[in-house]
Amino acid sequence: MKKQEKIDLKYMKYAMELAERGRGWVNPNPMVGALLVKDDRIIAEGWHEYYGDLHAERNAFKECRESVEGATMYVTLEPCCHFGKTPPCTEVIIKSKIARVVIGITDPNPLVAGKGIELLQKEGIEVVTGVLEEELKEQNKVFLKYITTRRPWVVLKTAMTLDGKIATCTGDSKWITGEEARERVHHFRREFMGVMVGIGTVLADDPLLNCRLEGEVRQPVRLVVDSNLRMPFNSRLVATARTYRTIVVCTPQADKERQEALERLGIEILRCEAKEGRVDLEELMRVLGEMGIDSILLEGGGELNYSFLRQGLVDEVCTFIAPKLIGGRDAKTPLEGTGWEKMYEAMELGDWQIEQFGKDILLRARVLPWEDKKSFSYKVY
């Protein structure tokens, strides 16, 4: 590796660390970090801090206290070249007389998609691309899917005992995992725009579904798939609907009087097309994407989880496994439904990551397309 390549890699790694500070705050925008480097010194840094706020590049320029003429800018994502909630970043880069821009990944947003790079090059600025590309694509996987498909990134989260149970035969499920694992779930809720369950989970557990981390956090939209609108008026979700945005999704056939009553209590009702008498989940993902919800933490029961997987709507699986055995042929499992009939039909997962939280293990993996399910990597962290 050449000396300049090593230097570019070092600074891009730091820009990636800066970008990470925006996690949970910038959705549905990407996480972006930027550095200004002159004479091998970082003279300014910035990151995209909040949705609708300045982009990383402009935050870096805002913090700079010396001339940037001839400097190099390191930015994890191609600078924008269009007016949105903020002015184009290419404009300030060009005016500043930056000599060189090093970019991690190009922006697939049709409004950018190489146009930012082309504009910089036309102004005589040297542009280098693809530095730390794969790592940065992983960091912004939610954005990259959403901006190209307008569908949310869906993470199926489960917690089960070593023998694959999510509750005892009596329905008791508190608590399968320890405090450290449960705290990690709240970090997931902070990161993703929506947290979703089915009405069965509401009736069985009466969950709150908010993020309970200390300090300032952006609360997820609480989503309940409730085809026939059975949401209990005395549930904790209803009681807190004016504090936390809550959307209940039902079919067009659901009772309108119950809808009006729930709306008076602060619940938003979303009527979605039906498929075999239940909410059409594919249509629901399209509608939620149009609403600007770029990511969903699916914390459903076995039936909803199975339906999402069966329809190819899950991108990633996060399973907490507790070192406990409870048995019971009627005890609930993370996946129910009819299941797959042949082993070769089984849904395989790849790109494994393994982490430990207290006594519990988290297995995190991507759902592989059927044609790719024989090729995957295995990672332990």
Side-chain angles (χ1 to χ4, degrees):
M1 184 181 291
K2 296 178 181 179
K3 181 180 178 181
Q4 188 59 58
E5 291 176 343
K6 291 181 180 179
I7 292 171
D8 289 346
L9 189 61
K10 178 183 73 172
Y11 285 124
M12 190 61 74
K13 283 181 178 178
Y14 183 52
M16 183 176 177
E17 292 174 13
L18 292 174
E20 191 65 26
R21 299 181 188 183
R23 187 176 293 277
W25 293 107
V26 300
N27 311 61
N29 281 354
M31 294 176 281
V32 184
L35 296 175
L36 287 166
V37 177
K38 191 173 184 179
D39 301 324
D40 204 23
R41 293 182 300 113
I42 296 174
I43 60 175
E45 60 187 50
W47 64 94
H48 186 28
E49 299 177 12
Y50 300 97
Y51 174 71
D53 203 356
L54 292 177
H55 288 183
E57 300 94 319
R58 287 186 173 270
N59 272 328
F61 281 112
K62 185 179 71 172
E63 295 300 316
C64 193
R65 298 294 180 265
E66 60 182 276
S67 170
V68 298
E69 186 173 351
T72 296
M73 168 163 274
Y74 291 86
V75 59
T76 57
L77 181 71
E78 178 183 2
C80 65
C81 53
H82 64 286
F83 281 89
K85 290 186 176 293
T86 59
C89 292
T90 50
E91 181 182 87
V92 68
I93 294 172
I94 292 168
K95 285 182 179 179
S96 69
K97 298 183 180 180
I98 290 286
R100 186 168 178 264
V101 177
V102 181
I103 297 169
I105 54 177
T106 56
D107 189 344
N109 184 342
L111 295 174
V112 186
K115 299 183 186 72
I117 293 171
E118 184 180 349
L119 189 57
L120 295 175
Q121 289 173 328
K122 281 183 178 179
E123 295 296 326
I125 298 172
E126 179 188 352
V127 178
V128 177
T129 62
V131 178
L132 220 62
E133 183 175 18
E134 292 307 312
E135 292 87 342
L136 290 167
K137 283 182 177 179
E138 176 66 19
Q139 183 182 54
N140 264 317
K141 59 192 176 187
V142 170
F143 167 75
L144 293 174
K145 178 188 178 181
Y146 181 71
I147 201 65
T148 54
T149 67
R150 288 295 169 184
R151 300 292 191 273
W153 180 270
V154 178
V155 175
L156 191 163
K157 189 280 296 180
T158 63
M160 67 181 189
T161 58
L162 192 58
D163 56 340
K165 307 298 184 180
I166 62 174
T168 68
C169 60
T170 64
D172 182 34
S173 61
K174 291 184 173 56
W175 292 103
I176 290 175
T177 55
E179 290 184 9
E180 294 94 335
R182 298 201 299 274
E183 181 178 348
R184 182 65 182 93
V185 172
H186 286 284
H187 283 279
F188 282 139
R189 290 181 182 178
R190 180 184 67 83
E191 294 173 20
F192 299 114
M193 290 191 74
V195 56
M196 179 182 288
V197 297
I199 186 60
T201 297
V202 175
L203 296 173
D205 299 336
D206 192 21
L208 197 53
L209 301 181
N210 65 336
C211 176
R212 296 190 281 277
L213 296 176
E214 293 184 3
E216 184 183 5
V217 295
R218 186 177 68 171
Q219 291 291 339
V221 179
R222 304 183 301 181
L223 300 156
V224 180
V225 181
D226 182 10
S227 298
N228 298 313
L229 216 52
R230 295 186 289 154
M231 173 67 71
F233 295 120
N234 62 348
S235 66
R236 294 202 294 171
L237 289 172
V238 173
T240 56
R242 298 194 188 281
T243 302
Y244 308 112
R245 187 182 181 191
T246 307
I247 300 174
V248 174
V249 187
C250 63
T251 66
Q253 291 73 38
D255 187 274
K256 291 184 178 180
E257 289 186 4
R258 285 188 67 84
Q259 172 177 338
E260 293 170 359
L262 287 167
E263 287 175 334
R264 286 194 294 271
L265 294 170
I267 295 285
E268 296 179 42
I269 301 296
L270 174 61
R271 288 185 179 264
C272 198
E273 292 301 317
K275 185 176 182 179
E276 298 178 356
R278 297 183 177 184
V279 168
D280 184 336
L281 297 177
E282 291 188 38
E283 175 69 7
L284 175 57
M285 293 300 99
R286 184 190 67 78
V287 172
L288 292 178
E290 289 180 351
M291 293 170 62
I293 296 176
D294 72 346
S295 49
I296 293 171
L297 183 65
L298 179 62
E299 297 192 40
E303 292 292 341
L304 187 63
N305 291 346
Y306 174 74
S307 296
F308 263 83
L309 278 169
R310 188 85 198 195
Q311 294 181 50
L313 301 176
V314 177
D315 297 286
E316 188 177 0
V317 174
C318 291
T319 301
F320 290 92
I321 301 177
K324 299 176 182 178
L325 301 169
I326 57 175
R329 67 172 59 89
D330 297 323
K332 296 288 187 181
T333 62
L335 288 183
E336 295 181 352
T338 57
W340 284 268
E341 294 182 358
K342 302 292 184 180
M343 187 58 68
Y344 73 84
E345 297 175 324
M347 186 160 290
E348 291 196 19
L349 307 175
D351 296 324
W352 281 98
Q353 297 178 22
I354 302 177
E355 299 175 75
Q356 186 166 352
F357 296 90
K359 296 180 179 180
D360 307 310
I361 297 296
L362 169 61
L363 301 182
R364 188 170 185 173
R366 295 287 186 87
V367 175
L368 294 174
W370 198 90
E371 62 273 16
D372 297 336
K373 66 181 185 175
K374 293 304 177 186
S375 62
F376 60 88
S377 61
Y378 181 81
K379 304 174 185 176
V380 179
Y381 294 92

